[in-house]
């Protein structure tokens, strides 16, 4: 009998981190693995942000921070929400956390009771399901397809709602599909939700700025949804600050206060230096990071062109983030180099072993016919990786 709790025994290991670990093992064996599995920009944090962190060190920021974040950072977040999203929040509605992942965990812990259902349009970010389960909620997956650009329809949403539905979680731009919900699409979903006033929305907007449509829309802008939406964001993706671990929410005061309460018993406030650096990041013009967005768009088009030359890869055009999410079910049941491909996990492992390219199985995201390919890598690496994939197929 295990000494470990059922809670941790029933929890999945993050598939993205597991694939990254396996790739590292193979590199340690001397194999030249190209990593296209992690959702991490390959740029350095911009200098103006690093300079703000250095200044904070020199100014002796070294003490415990307020649980919900420095007042100056909360003001920068409020300004950012108003400037970029036309959303008005008070300081009591903002909570800063150690990464957007902690923000999501806080929300689940303060809103879910045993058996409460959370609708997850699939594909969804790999950790959503386990975070919900950890809070004793029940994830309800709603399958989408490449034909609808991996977006849930109002009819699907309506069909998934039961008396136990407490929330719907989604990301836009989406990890892993790169899909971006338009204003019209979100308003159509809101019409369904207006009929069910006790359902809350978690809108994960961490990839907000990596959006090639130039038309990001937050569902909280819809008046009927403002008091029912928790908007989650952070600086890891757009500002290349993954290791700085700063995320935040804007939402109803009661929920924000509850998140502050639970965070106070688990981690307390986020890192002091990272918070001071984030003030500089959020107060800056988007022009300061446009070079990264332009490069991601260029890489996306290269990847789509090269994947389009491989028989069996069915791709759509993602409008944001830095992933493509091809349907590779064409290969299921086929034997390649003596290895039978039964599912997306087999296919992803085959690419790792034979092409020396690390991707992530779509099974981890609730879409078993797909794999996720991150193009947060250099153009040279991307061209080499897809050439090697093509050769082994």
């Amino acid at each position: 009998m295990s000494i470990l709790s059922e809670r941790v025994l029933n929890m999945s290991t993050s598939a993205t981190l597991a694939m990254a670990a396996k790739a590292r093992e193979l590199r340690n064996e001397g194999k030249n693995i190209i990593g296209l599995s992690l959702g991490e920009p390959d740029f350095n944090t911009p200098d103006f942000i690093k300079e703000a962190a250095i200044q904070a060190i020199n100014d002796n920021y070294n003490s415990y921070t307020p649980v919900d974040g420095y007042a100056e950072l909360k003001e920068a977040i409020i300004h950012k929400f108003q400037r970029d999203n036309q959303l008005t929040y008070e300081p009591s509605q903002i909570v800063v956390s150690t990464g957007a992942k902690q923000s999501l965990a806080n929300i689940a812990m303060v809103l879910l009771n045993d058996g409460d259902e959370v609708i997850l349009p699939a594909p969804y970010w790999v950790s959503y399901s386990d975070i919900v389960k950890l809070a004793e909620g029940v994830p309800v997956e709603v399958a989408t397809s490449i034909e609808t650009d991996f977006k849930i329809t109002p009819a699907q949403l309506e069909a998934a709602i039961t008396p136990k539905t407490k929330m719907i979680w989604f990301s836009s731009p989406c990890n892993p599909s790169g899909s971006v919900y338009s204003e019209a699409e979100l308003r159509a979903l809101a019409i369904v939700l207006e009929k069910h006033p006790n359902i809350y929305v978690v809108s994960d907007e961490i990839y907000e700025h990596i959006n090639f449509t130039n038309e990001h829309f937050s569902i909280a802008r819809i008046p009927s949804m403002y008091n029912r939406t928790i908007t989650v964001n952070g600086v890891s993706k757009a500002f290349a600050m993954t290791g700085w671990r700063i995320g935040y929410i804007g939402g109803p005061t009661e929920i924000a206060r509850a998140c502050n309460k639970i965070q106070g018993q688990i981690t307390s406030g986020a890192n002091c230096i990272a918070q001071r650096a984030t003030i500089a990041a959020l107060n800056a013009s988007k022009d300061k990071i446009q070079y990264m967005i332009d490069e991601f768009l260029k890489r996306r088009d290269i990847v789509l062109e090269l994947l389009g030359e491989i028989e069996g890869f069915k791709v759509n055009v993602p409008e944001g983030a830095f992933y493509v999410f091809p349907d590779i079910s064409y290969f299921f049941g086929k034997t390649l180099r003596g290895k039978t491909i039964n599912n997306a996990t087999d296919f992803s492992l085959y690419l790792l072993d034979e092409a020396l390219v690390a991707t992530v199985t779509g099974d981890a995201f609730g879409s078993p016919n797909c794999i996720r390919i991150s193009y947060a890598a250099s153009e040279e690496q991307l061209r080499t990786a897809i050439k090697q994939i093509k050769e082994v197929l």
Side-chain angles (χ1 to χ4, degrees):
M1 183 175 178
S2 175
I3 63 168
L4 300 178
S5 69
E6 290 185 14
R7 185 183 303 108
V8 74
L9 290 173
N10 292 332
M11 185 186 294
S12 303
T13 300
S14 168
T16 52
L17 298 180
M19 180 58 84
K22 186 169 178 60
R24 280 195 298 272
E25 288 176 13
L26 292 174
R27 287 193 189 97
N28 290 337
E29 294 173 8
K31 295 184 178 179
N32 186 21
I33 304 296
I34 300 176
L36 305 183
S37 61
L38 279 181
E40 182 167 41
D42 61 322
F43 297 97
N44 291 321
T45 302
D47 286 346
F48 76 95
I49 298 173
K50 292 189 285 188
E51 287 162 5
I54 293 168
Q55 186 63 50
I57 293 171
N58 290 334
D59 289 343
N60 295 313
Y61 279 93
N62 50 35
S63 301
Y64 286 130
T65 62
V67 172
D68 54 353
Y70 283 127
E72 302 96 317
L73 176 52
K74 294 173 77 171
E75 287 298 329
I77 292 168
I78 289 167
H79 172 68
K80 174 260 174 293
F81 272 130
Q82 184 66 59
R83 178 193 65 206
D84 299 341
N85 311 105
Q86 292 75 60
L87 294 173
T88 301
Y89 290 113
E90 298 295 327
S92 62
Q93 296 177 275
I94 305 296
V95 179
V96 178
S97 299
T98 304
K101 185 179 283 190
Q102 185 180 23
S103 298
L104 292 165
N106 286 344
I107 294 164
M109 295 296 285
V110 305
L111 282 180
L112 292 175
N113 290 310
D114 187 13
D116 284 344
E117 294 177 353
V118 178
I119 295 172
L120 303 179
Y124 49 80
W125 182 52
V126 62
S127 291
Y128 285 175
S129 182
D130 276 286
I131 289 173
V132 167
K133 291 176 184 175
L134 188 62
E136 299 186 309
V138 179
V140 176
E141 298 182 11
V142 178
T144 66
S145 70
I146 198 167
E147 284 76 22
T148 60
D149 285 325
F150 301 108
K151 298 177 189 178
I152 191 173
T153 66
Q156 286 181 301
L157 175 58
E158 184 73 76
I161 293 172
T162 76
K164 292 185 177 180
T165 304
K166 185 68 174 284
M167 287 190 281
I168 174 173
W169 288 24
F170 71 94
S171 59
S172 179
C174 176
N175 176 2
S177 70
S179 300
V180 177
Y181 282 89
S182 68
E183 177 179 350
E185 288 166 337
L186 290 174
R187 288 189 181 278
L189 295 176
I191 289 171
V192 175
L193 292 168
E194 285 164 2
K195 295 183 283 186
H196 304 275
N198 295 321
I199 297 175
Y200 283 80
V201 176
V202 171
S203 180
D204 182 348
E205 303 180 15
I206 192 77
Y207 290 92
E208 171 188 5
H209 290 312
I210 309 174
N211 181 340
F212 311 129
T213 72
N214 294 315
E215 294 180 357
H216 179 82
F217 185 83
S218 297
I219 193 170
R221 275 185 64 186
I222 302 171
S224 63
M225 302 309 299
Y226 176 80
N227 287 322
R228 301 168 53 186
T229 299
I230 307 99
T231 303
V232 178
N233 212 320
V235 291
S236 62
K237 310 300 182 179
F239 297 94
M241 294 174 69
T242 51
W244 298 71
R245 309 310 303 134
I246 296 292
Y248 56 86
I249 66 167
T253 299
E254 183 180 11
I255 294 173
R257 285 175 175 164
C259 288
N260 182 38
K261 180 180 179 181
I262 200 164
Q263 186 167 296
Q265 294 287 17
I266 296 175
T267 61
S268 294
N271 177 281
C272 57
I273 305 304
Q275 287 198 52
R276 304 311 296 186
T278 299
I279 295 170
L282 295 182
N283 282 334
S285 164
K286 185 182 172 185
D287 293 342
K288 290 267 197 176
I289 56 171
Q290 188 63 45
Y291 67 96
M292 290 189 270
I293 301 165
D294 293 342
E295 183 62 24
F296 284 134
L297 176 58
K298 177 184 174 185
R299 293 173 184 178
R300 181 203 69 176
D301 292 344
I302 290 169
V303 169
L304 290 178
E305 178 186 355
L306 295 176
L307 289 180
E309 298 172 0
I310 303 178
E311 183 182 10
F313 273 75
K314 186 177 182 181
V315 296
N316 67 328
V317 180
E319 295 180 320
F322 37 69
Y323 310 106
V324 291
F325 201 60
D327 183 317
I328 45 80
S329 57
Y330 167 88
F331 296 97
F332 295 174
K334 291 181 167 55
T335 300
L336 305 171
R337 298 191 177 188
K339 297 180 179 179
T340 301
I341 307 299
N342 294 309
N343 49 49
T345 299
D346 287 347
F347 188 78
S348 189
L349 290 172
Y350 175 79
L351 295 185
L352 181 62
D353 292 335
E354 299 294 332
L356 305 182
V357 176
T359 60
V360 186
T361 173
D363 287 309
F365 305 100
S367 293
N369 289 338
C370 302
I371 62 170
R372 190 188 77 174
I373 298 173
S374 168
Y375 52 86
S378 69
E379 179 179 338
E380 179 184 4
Q381 285 182 308
L382 292 169
R383 289 186 180 279
T384 301
I386 297 174
K387 177 175 180 288
Q388 291 172 189
I389 289 172
K390 187 175 182 179
E391 288 173 355
V392 302
L393 297 177

